[in-house]
Amino acid sequence: MNIDLRSDTVTQPTPAMLDAMWSAKVGDDVFEEDPTVAELENKLAGLFGMEAGLFCPSGTMTNQIAVKLHTGPQKEVICHKYSHIYLYEAGGIMSNAFASVKLLDGEYGKVAVEDVADAINADDIHAPETSLVALENTMNKGGGSVYSLEEVRPISELCRESKLKLHLDGARIFNALVKTGESAKAWGAMFDTISVCLSKGLGCPVGSVLLGDNETIKRSKRVRKAFGGGMRQAGFLAAAGIYALDHHVERLKEDHQRAEALASVLKLHPNVSEILPVSTNIVIAQLVGVTPKEMLDQLERKGIKAVAFGKDLIRFVTHLDFKDEHLEAFSQRIR
């Protein structure tokens, strides 16, 4: 039995999801004639209390569209130094939007309102104009850490007072909502744009949706076209998203439970010195006595896959294809 914990993107569509995909009604989405894409976009917009959505191939594309819309040359985005939009999107902020970046520190990848306030540039010709604040929930590099509404609300109020846009990289937003019990609509009220990824914990093969007001999404379509993201009979993919929203959200709790169990097993390994606090489905282990490559090679020989996540860190991510039998096999092999 192979155990792949590199990411929650490695999942395969379930048989029921495949059935939904095969039976989808489709059309040419670039001509806005795909009914299933429209259904997905409207469904997610409704869940978050936002006006409209735009289906895209990836979360990187939805994030980069938002950054491009909200910034530009001589503008600046404020984000945590471990943000996905900064670290893992191939320099897209600079190459797509020609914008500057101001990087913040913060425990487990989260930023505080005081630090955001201090990072806003004064109206001075020597500095770029601050135009966007970007948050990430859950926070990948923070070990799947979760923002609460009480942490985000003052940042949202600050952005509105300062006439800044606020974007959420919600790659694992449903993991966060399942953890806190907060409502999607309450989160939608905090942000100008939200990127919702479908191909991670929700288990879809492809796709993310950018949410915003009608004017923002209208402008987003032009940027998506320029990025090469206009898709034709995309309803086959969108149908997977609809199925996942109906059937795969509550089960995220199982991933969180298995992540906690997995962390408990890893703590017993002699080469693991520390585990970052486990909030959702991401487990980050700090190593001692071995390099990440050496540890990953050891694991691979036991049929376990993970990824290096820093100088002395490796990451494991639980997902819908990681069941109790995989957890038991993992425990036996680690011990």
Side-chain angles (χ1 to χ4, degrees):
M1 177 190 295
N2 290 321
I3 301 172
D4 194 341
L5 295 166
R6 289 173 297 172
S7 176
D8 41 8
T9 60
V10 302
T11 57
Q12 298 290 313
T14 64
M17 181 181 284
L18 286 172
D19 288 343
M21 295 169 70
W22 280 116
S23 61
K25 295 180 180 178
V26 300
D28 190 322
D29 185 51
V30 175
F31 290 135
E32 301 183 356
E33 293 176 352
D34 192 303
T36 308
V37 170
E39 182 183 351
L40 173 64
E41 292 169 342
N42 292 334
K43 186 179 184 72
L44 266 173
L47 279 173
F48 284 85
M50 303 184 85
E51 290 182 350
L54 184 67
F55 185 48
C56 294
S58 71
T60 294
M61 183 175 286
T62 46
N63 282 334
Q64 289 301 315
I65 289 172
V67 169
K68 187 170 178 65
L69 289 178
H70 298 323
T71 64
Q74 298 186 294
K75 302 287 183 70
E76 187 165 79
V77 53
I78 296 171
C79 61
H80 194 279
K81 66 182 181 181
Y82 291 152
S83 294
H84 192 281
I85 64 167
Y86 176 72
L87 282 183
Y88 296 124
E89 298 185 5
I93 295 173
M94 298 77 169
S95 64
N96 295 321
F98 304 102
S100 297
V101 184
K102 184 168 287 184
L103 302 176
L104 303 184
D105 287 308
E107 191 174 35
Y108 303 124
K110 300 195 295 180
V111 301
V113 64
E114 297 82 7
D115 296 326
V116 175
D118 290 343
I120 299 172
N121 291 330
D123 185 9
D124 184 331
I125 62 169
H126 299 90
E129 177 187 350
T130 306
S131 62
L132 173 65
V133 176
L135 307 180
E136 184 177 329
N137 200 24
T138 67
M139 184 63 188
N140 179 25
K141 287 285 282 187
S145 58
V146 177
Y147 278 101
S148 70
L149 275 172
E150 292 309 306
E151 291 171 308
V152 169
R153 186 172 285 111
I155 297 175
S156 177
E157 291 171 354
L158 172 66
C159 287
R160 287 173 183 168
E161 292 167 2
S162 306
K163 295 182 171 54
L164 306 179
K165 297 296 184 180
L166 182 60
H167 173 69
L168 176 65
D169 175 359
R172 296 180 175 90
I173 182 61
F174 283 103
N175 290 85
L177 295 177
V178 164
K179 176 71 175 182
T180 64
E182 295 166 346
S183 76
K185 283 189 177 178
W187 274 80
M190 297 292 107
F191 292 87
D192 295 287
T193 49
I194 297 178
S195 167
V196 178
C197 187
L198 302 167
S199 64
K200 292 188 172 71
L202 296 185
C204 296
V206 175
S208 291
V209 176
L210 181 65
L211 303 175
D213 61 30
N214 287 325
E215 180 59 28
T216 297
I217 297 305
K218 181 180 179 181
R219 293 170 56 215
S220 297
K221 290 181 180 178
R222 187 182 298 273
V223 180
R224 182 185 69 174
K225 184 66 175 175
F227 284 174
M231 297 180 286
R232 301 299 178 175
Q233 287 72 36
F236 294 116
L237 301 174
I242 294 169
Y243 181 88
L245 291 171
D246 290 340
H247 298 93
H248 287 175
V249 173
E250 284 302 312
R251 63 144 303 280
L252 291 170
K253 295 175 183 177
E254 299 174 21
D255 296 344
H256 300 174
Q257 292 164 357
R258 292 186 183 111
E260 291 178 0
L262 187 147
S264 297
V265 173
L266 283 170
K267 287 177 182 177
L268 304 176
H269 195 285
N271 293 122
V272 173
S273 63
E274 184 182 355
I275 302 288
L276 266 64
V278 178
S279 298
T280 49
N281 69 323
I282 296 176
V283 179
I284 297 179
Q286 186 165 24
L287 305 178
V288 62
V290 294
T291 67
K293 184 180 185 308
E294 290 168 340
M295 184 68 164
L296 292 174
D297 287 345
Q298 290 179 27
L299 291 171
E300 184 114 29
R301 288 193 291 271
K302 296 178 181 293
I304 299 170
K305 291 184 178 181
V307 295
F309 220 49
K311 181 180 178 182
D312 57 357
L313 303 174
I314 58 174
R315 186 191 74 171
F316 304 80
V317 185
T318 57
H319 49 77
L320 67 82
D321 286 343
F322 181 71
K323 309 292 187 184
D324 286 339
E325 57 266 32
H326 297 95
L327 177 60
E328 179 60 29
F330 179 91
S331 301
Q332 292 175 0
R333 295 174 195 180
I334 289 294
R335 287 169 179 157

